[in-house]
């Protein structure tokens, strides 16, 4: 009983008097597991698996972004591929122009692209945040099914636009001949690249943790659970949700820029509705609104895709079954199943 | 008498063919409890919802401290000092009592776009919340999920949320419904103390409570005001006795 009281006592929590919860240890296990697997694969010379770990980290990061909107904000976006793809194209287009020494978008006064990841990331955060602002502003005028449909519609517009714009490969996509660079490290080294992805994943996880623990997070949670209560308290739910949507878009965009560099290629598949759907599946699999749910979901999803996909072309049937099981029997997703129900203070 | 704090002027609202609010005018003065009574479906809750901005009126005006607030959003009105409780309580069931009240404290501090400092150890939020919960006798329920509360406790949490706003006017929609005699007595005591801090527009079916508490009463029937006056005037009003009180009292 005392431990239960302590758990609900914020002062005690803050002072670290409460033993860390089971969820905390599962979070640590997930991260250590992923990093350990990548390192093991590297030392065994299994390049494929090192890259697979990078893929998991990057997709998990995109899902962390979506989780902020979907899980914590209750905004079911079926269009996050728009941000992921946009990030990918920023990386691709920037590298393309740097390689050809032509101005970006062919406009005279624009710079000649860059192969520096840091600049690419900065631009990505900026443009995906802006796109998130536009899409979010318009979509948040609706709710429920309409919100789902309008976010999908925006992503599909981007998809068809990229498909029919020959300057950057159109439907063939755009190769990145050399991975973009970071100061001091060799991004072409597979394990190094994994660590870059893993660190950005951890930063986005840490950021969402801080965010959700803050006043903004409290408002966002209430905007999701009971917007009428939030408004009755004097806080307009709309700008709170919009801000969460924008941050969510920025994280998904950054993940996209990394994904393009991982594959040395950006194609319209990154903008496709399939990917938006996969991100939703990952968030639900992992546990909606659980901080590390997206990581758990991404690990499960990518492993199923890789292993079951190798055994049977009908792997998505099995994925569907697992998803059904989660929705019906484990409402908290994988994290809910492993760590029990989430707690608030 | 001083200036009215809240003024409702000729409010009208129709749901299709149903006139839910019919030319309603009423005032709320500092220091008073103004009771709003009337049979089920008379339009009492609909009136409150228009005052708080949850429903747009078809015509009419609402003034708070002389300022027209008819065009403002729910959140803007709350910021200007309208606190309310709902007939069917509207809280986040999945969150603790503390968290539900905390959001109102956060709102009056005007600081929801702070992204870093954890609320779970923020004394400027926790202390006011603790004070209010103490006042309502909810201290040992602070960490309990709202979903696990009794009906009466949920009403108290609604009150706590409204009080946390440090409102200029309180609009309470049947705050003691289903509370039992002990809970009702406590609520009556609380409201009679509170009215000196903040005037209250009170919807209530319990006539004993109404006449114990109210300074003035408006009787609403089929959307319109049947009678308005001091508690004594209403008690002895023939049309009211016939149309409404007659059914309830013997
Ligand atoms: N959103 C709505 N759409 C259509 N009709 C509504 C709506 N809200 C309320 N009404 C109708 O308006 C009338 C007034 O309802 P209201 O809830 O204001 O009554 P009330 O006086 O609060 O009743 P009670 O004492 O039962 O709470 C009722 O006939 C109700 O059915
Ligand atoms: Mg009512």
């Amino acid at each position: 009983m005392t431990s239960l009281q302590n758990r609900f006592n914020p002062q005690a929590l803050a002072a670290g008097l409460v033993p860390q919860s089971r969820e905390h240890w599962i979070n640590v296990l997930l991260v250590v597991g992923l990093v350990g697997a990548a390192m093991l694969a590297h030392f065994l010379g299994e390049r494929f698996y090192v890259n697979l770990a990078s893929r998991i980290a990057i997709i998990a990061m995109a899902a962390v972004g979506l989780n902020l909107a979907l899980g914590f904000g209750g905004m079911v976006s079926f269009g996050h591929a728009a941000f992921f793809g946009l990030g990918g194209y920023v990386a691709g287009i920037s590298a393309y122009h740097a390689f050809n020494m032509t101005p970006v978008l062919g406009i005279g006064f624009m710079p000649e692209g860059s192969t520096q990841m840091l600049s690419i990331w900065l631009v990505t955060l900026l443009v995906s945040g802006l796109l998130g602002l536009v899409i979010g502003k318009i979509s948040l005028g609706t709710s429920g099914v309409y919100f789902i449909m309008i976010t999908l519609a925006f992503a599909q517009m981007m998809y068809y636009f990229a498909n029919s714009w020959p300057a950057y490969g159109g439907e063939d996509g755009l190769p990145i001949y050399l991975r973009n660079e970071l100061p001091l490290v060799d991004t072409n080294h597979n394990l190094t690249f994994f660590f870059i992805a893993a660190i950005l994943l951890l930063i986005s996880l840490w950021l969402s943790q801080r965010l959700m623990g803050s006043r903004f997070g409290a408002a966002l949670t209430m905007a999701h659970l009971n917007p009428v209560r939030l408004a009755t308290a004097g806080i307009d739910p709309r700008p709170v949700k919009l801000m969460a949507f924008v941050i969510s878009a920025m994280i998904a965009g950054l993940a996209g820029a990394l994904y393009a560099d991982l594959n040395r290629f950006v194609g319209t598949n990154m903008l496709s509705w399939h990917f938006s759907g996969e991100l939703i599946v990952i968030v639900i699999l992992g546990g909606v609104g659980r901080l590390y749910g997206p990581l758990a979901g991404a690990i499960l999803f990518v492993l199923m895709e890789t292993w079951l996909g190798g055994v049977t072309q009908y792997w998505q049937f099995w994925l569907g079954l697992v998803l059904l099981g989660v929705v019906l029997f484990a409402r908290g997703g994988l994290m809910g199943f492993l760590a029990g129900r989430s707690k608030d203070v | 008498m001083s200036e009215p704090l809240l003024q409702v002027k000729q409010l009208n609202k129709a749901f299709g063919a149903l006139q839910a609010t019919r030319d309603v005018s009423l005032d709320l003065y500092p220091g008073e409890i103004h009771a709003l009574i009337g049979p089920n479906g008379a339009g009492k809750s609909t009136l409150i919802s228009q005052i708080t901005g949850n429903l747009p009126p078809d015509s009419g005006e609402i003034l708070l401290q002389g300022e027209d607030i008819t065009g403002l959003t729910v959140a803007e009105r709350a910021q200007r000092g309208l606190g309310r409780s709902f007939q069917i309580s509207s809280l986040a069931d999945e969150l603790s009592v503390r968290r539900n009240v905390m959001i109102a404290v956060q709102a009056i501090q005007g600081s929801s776009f702070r992204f870093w400092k954890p609320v779970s150890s923020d004394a400027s939020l926790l202390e006011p919340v603790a004070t209010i919960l103490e006042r309502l006798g909810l201290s040992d329920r602070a960490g309990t999920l709202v979903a696990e509360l009794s009906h009466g406790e949920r009403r108290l949490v609604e009150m706590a949320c409204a009080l946390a706003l440090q409102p200029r006017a309180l609009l309470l929609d049947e705050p003691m419904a289903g509370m039992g005699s002990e809970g009702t007595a406590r609520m009556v005591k609380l409201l009679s103390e509170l009215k000196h801090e903040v005037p209250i527009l009170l919807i209530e079916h319990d006539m004993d409570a109404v006449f114990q508490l109210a300074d003035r009463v408006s009787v609403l029937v089929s959307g319109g005001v049947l009678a308005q006056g001091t508690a004594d005037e209403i008690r002895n009003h023939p049309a009211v006795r016939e149309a409404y009180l007659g059914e309830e009292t013997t």
Side-chain angles (χ1 to χ4, degrees):
Chain A
M1 191 62 212
T2 41
S3 87
L4 200 70
Q5 274 164 353
N6 274 341
R7 185 169 292 152
F8 288 124
N9 179 342
Q11 271 89 15
L13 252 184
L17 296 177
V18 182
Q20 295 288 12
S21 67
R22 181 147 126 221
E23 180 158 359
H24 175 85
W25 289 113
I26 288 168
N27 296 346
V28 171
L29 207 70
L30 286 171
V31 173
V32 170
L34 182 65
V35 173
M39 290 175 68
L40 186 69
H42 174 73
F43 290 118
L44 294 176
E46 296 274 4
R47 265 215 199 150
F48 171 80
Y49 282 104
V50 179
N51 286 338
L52 194 69
S54 302
R55 192 172 133 78
I56 290 176
I58 293 168
I59 289 180
M61 181 171 159
V64 167
L66 179 63
N67 197 28
L68 215 53
L70 191 159
F72 295 114
M75 296 171 273
V76 185
S77 164
F78 197 0
H80 261 49
F83 311 118
F84 191 72
L86 181 66
Y89 273 96
V90 169
I93 291 173
S94 178
Y96 171 83
H97 286 291
F99 191 75
N100 294 331
M101 301 208 289
T102 50
V104 170
L105 302 177
I107 305 171
F109 61 83
M110 294 288 276
E112 290 177 351
S114 163
T115 56
Q116 285 302 318
M117 282 187 183
L118 290 176
S119 336
I120 289 171
W121 294 348
L122 205 70
V123 173
T124 300
L125 288 173
L126 219 79
V127 293
S128 47
L130 274 176
L131 185 67
L133 192 67
V134 172
I135 296 183
K137 185 98 189 166
I138 296 170
S139 309
L140 280 170
T142 67
S143 60
V145 179
Y146 297 100
F147 184 87
I148 300 177
M149 285 303 156
I150 202 163
T151 47
L152 171 64
F154 274 113
Q156 287 300 92
M157 272 166 56
M158 299 264 303
Y159 175 82
Y160 286 112
F161 182 71
N163 233 341
S164 55
W165 196 13
Y168 299 117
E171 58 185 328
D172 295 330
L174 188 64
I176 298 174
Y177 295 109
L178 285 171
R179 224 173 238 169
N180 292 304
E181 301 150 3
L182 269 184
L184 304 179
V185 298
D186 174 13
T187 56
N188 284 302
H189 186 263
N190 288 316
L191 190 65
T192 308
F193 188 82
F194 167 79
F195 275 113
I196 297 168
I199 288 170
L200 286 187
L201 168 66
L202 285 179
I203 292 177
S204 49
L205 280 167
W206 179 63
L207 222 71
S208 359
Q209 185 161 19
R210 290 301 298 220
L211 217 62
M212 289 319 297
S214 74
R215 290 181 182 221
F216 175 76
L220 183 63
T221 304
M222 196 54 95
H224 171 201
L225 295 178
N226 191 341
V228 172
R229 166 54 53 202
L230 189 66
T232 302
I235 302 171
D236 190 351
R238 285 274 284 278
V240 173
K241 286 186 146 189
L242 182 58
M243 178 59 96
F245 194 84
V246 168
I247 299 173
S248 157
M250 291 165 87
I251 296 176
L254 193 57
L258 276 178
Y259 198 67
D261 261 324
L262 170 68
N263 300 322
R264 295 194 178 87
F265 176 79
V266 48
T268 50
N269 63 321
M270 282 178 71
L271 288 164
S272 116
W273 65 270
H274 293 102
F275 186 74
S276 297
E278 282 175 18
L279 279 185
I280 295 181
V281 167
I282 287 169
V283 169
I284 294 175
L285 269 182
V288 175
R290 304 297 282 254
L291 269 170
Y292 281 67
L295 177 54
I299 292 174
L300 185 66
F301 184 91
V302 174
L303 289 185
M304 276 184 74
E305 182 187 45
T306 309
W307 288 336
L308 285 179
V311 180
T312 158
Q313 66 183 115
Y314 302 115
W315 77 275
Q316 292 193 329
F317 168 78
W318 299 104
L319 174 71
L321 270 191
V322 171
L323 198 63
L324 210 63
V326 164
V327 172
L328 289 179
F329 303 113
R331 292 289 308 274
L334 211 53
M335 289 308 288
F337 181 68
L338 296 173
R341 57 183 299 184
S342 62
K343 294 169 203 82
D344 84 296
V345 186
Chain B
M1 231 176 201
S2 51
E3 277 283 286
L5 200 107
L6 179 70
Q7 285 171 284
V8 174
K9 289 184 175 171
Q10 263 131 36
L11 219 56
N12 280 286
K13 173 85 190 171
F15 295 116
L18 178 80
Q19 193 69 33
T21 307
R22 197 189 302 267
D23 246 344
V24 173
S25 298
L26 58 81
D27 299 325
L28 183 65
Y29 288 91
E32 77 166 346
I33 291 183
H34 188 146
L36 194 57
I37 64 173
N40 293 113
K44 304 180 295 293
S45 299
T46 305
L47 179 61
I48 296 263
S49 291
Q50 291 169 80
I51 298 175
T52 53
N54 299 82
L55 273 177
D58 296 336
S59 65
E61 281 190 334
I62 299 150
L63 307 181
L64 183 65
Q65 294 183 308
E67 186 191 1
D68 189 351
I69 58 164
T70 323
L72 301 186
T73 63
V74 176
E76 286 165 336
R77 295 182 205 207
Q79 276 163 20
R80 269 160 227 241
L82 278 189
R84 79 169 296 187
S85 75
F86 291 86
Q87 181 169 4
I88 298 159
S89 75
S90 179
L91 299 161
D93 286 359
E94 302 85 342
L95 298 182
S96 65
V97 169
R98 179 186 291 120
R99 284 284 175 150
N100 272 275
V101 181
M102 199 185 273
I103 204 74
V105 173
Q106 175 174 324
I108 59 160
Q109 294 180 0
S111 53
S112 287
F113 285 87
R114 285 199 210 154
F115 301 92
W116 212 243
K117 194 172 170 191
V119 293
S120 57
S121 58
D122 187 340
S124 63
L125 290 173
L126 292 169
E127 276 164 20
V129 171
T131 312
I132 292 161
L133 291 182
E134 171 100 62
R135 175 164 195 187
L136 294 183
L138 283 168
S139 291
D140 44 348
R141 303 299 262 165
T144 310
L145 296 187
V146 166
E148 290 161 16
L149 297 182
S150 72
H151 192 68
E153 285 171 322
R154 292 172 68 98
R155 297 213 167 270
L156 286 175
V157 177
E158 284 246 337
M159 277 292 288
C161 292
L163 289 181
L165 282 178
Q166 302 178 352
R168 300 215 172 111
L170 261 183
L171 315 170
L172 304 179
D173 198 345
E174 303 193 21
M176 26 212 150
M179 269 197 142
S181 57
E182 202 175 307
T184 302
R186 269 192 75 166
M187 189 60 93
V188 167
K189 182 164 171 288
L190 176 70
L191 295 186
S192 60
E193 288 165 15
L194 260 180
K195 76 170 186 179
H196 303 293
E197 297 166 35
V198 48
I200 300 169
L201 184 63
L202 174 70
I203 298 181
E204 191 45 62
H205 276 300
D206 181 335
M207 285 307 128
D208 292 335
V210 165
F211 287 112
Q212 237 175 309
L213 284 168
D215 301 287
R216 291 189 308 135
V217 181
S218 293
V219 186
L220 217 56
V221 176
S222 331
V225 178
L226 178 74
Q228 209 165 51
T230 64
D232 283 336
E233 281 165 11
I234 295 301
R235 210 195 307 259
N236 301 315
H237 195 290
V240 174
R241 293 190 72 94
E242 192 186 329
Y244 182 51
L245 293 180
E247 308 166 359
E248 302 257 329
T249 56
T250 43

